[in-house]
């Protein structure tokens, strides 16, 4: 009976440690995601609209909002990869950095499709076309895409070797 209790106590300790590790990882992942969002949205706003209250005319890319969006999203994606690689998943990144970056890019493209894909049913199937419904659909998509990214990063992108730091 004592051996059985000892096994249960050991199992409970391991489960507790695993749950704490996942929460720490999720907190770091969320922090990186929040900072990447601020970088993406903030740099887009500055590029297209300029500094708030900074005068007339807008930002340096006011006539090219699509290019500004691509530039801002690209910068946020590079930041996200670096922060996740060297902070969130610092002990488990791949030796082949190019392959890891390619997998990261593929996962982020799928995440973008998930986010954009939530607007389609909102507009086409439900007939909703207000700014509120579009934003609600995008937030739902963003949440789904974030869950997808979290689990695919830890399962497929940042997995190969464990390093002691």
């Amino acid at each position: 009976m004592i051996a059985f209790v000892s096994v249960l106590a050991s199992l409970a300790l391991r489960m507790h440690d695993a749950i704490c590790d996942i929460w720490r990882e999720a907190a770091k992942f969320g922090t990186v995601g929040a900072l990447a969002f601020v970088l993406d949205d903030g740099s887009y706003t500055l590029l297209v609209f300029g500094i708030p209250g900074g005068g007339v005319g807008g930002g340096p890319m006011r006539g090219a909002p699509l290019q500004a969006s691509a530039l801002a999203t690209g910068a946020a994606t590079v930041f996200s990869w670096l922060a996740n690689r060297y902070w969130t998943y610092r002990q488990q990144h791949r030796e082949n950095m190019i392959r890891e970056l390619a997998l990261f890019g593929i996962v982020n493209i799928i995440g973008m499709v998930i986010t954009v894909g939530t607007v389609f049913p909102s507009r086409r199937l439900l007939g909703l076309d207000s700014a509120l419904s579009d934003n609600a659909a995008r937030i739902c998509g963003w949440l789904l895409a974030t869950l997808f990214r979290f689990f695919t990063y830890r399962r497929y992108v940042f997995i190969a070797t464990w390093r002691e730091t």
Side-chain angles (χ1 to χ4, degrees):
M1 182 66 171
I2 294 174
F4 179 71
V5 171
S6 177
V7 168
L8 283 179
S10 175
L11 181 60
L13 261 173
R14 280 190 249 157
M15 286 178 56
H16 176 267
D17 290 346
I19 290 169
C20 286
D21 286 347
I22 287 174
W23 278 110
R24 274 191 292 275
E25 181 182 328
K28 288 179 178 182
F29 175 83
T31 300
V32 169
L35 291 172
F37 174 79
V38 169
L39 176 63
D40 188 349
D41 197 49
S43 58
Y44 172 79
T45 300
L46 288 173
L47 287 169
V48 174
F49 300 105
I51 298 171
V56 183
M61 296 183 77
R62 66 186 164 273
L66 297 179
Q67 292 86 343
S69 181
L71 184 63
T73 299
T77 300
V78 170
F79 165 79
S80 177
W81 175 66
L82 289 169
N84 277 306
R85 183 174 213 273
Y86 293 108
W87 185 48
T88 308
Y89 301 102
R90 73 177 174 267
Q91 294 177 319
Q92 57 194 86
H93 49 82
R94 293 177 181 271
E95 291 293 332
N96 185 337
M97 192 182 327
I98 300 302
R99 181 174 175 165
E100 181 183 88
L101 183 57
L103 287 170
F104 185 86
I106 291 167
V107 167
N108 277 285
I109 289 169
I110 294 169
M112 184 171 50
V113 169
I114 291 169
T115 301
V116 172
T118 58
V119 176
F120 178 81
S122 172
R123 287 214 167 220
R124 302 286 187 217
L125 301 179
L126 300 175
L128 304 172
D129 63 359
S130 70
L132 178 62
S133 62
D134 279 0
N135 283 316
R138 286 184 44 77
I139 288 169
C140 289
W142 179 77
L143 291 172
L144 290 171
T146 298
L147 288 171
F148 169 76
R149 285 182 183 109
F150 178 72
F151 289 108
T152 54
Y153 285 177
R154 67 189 323 264
R155 177 78 172 119
Y156 299 106
V157 179
F158 300 106
I159 59 165
T161 56
W162 287 84
R163 297 186 179 119
E164 295 297 322
T165 56

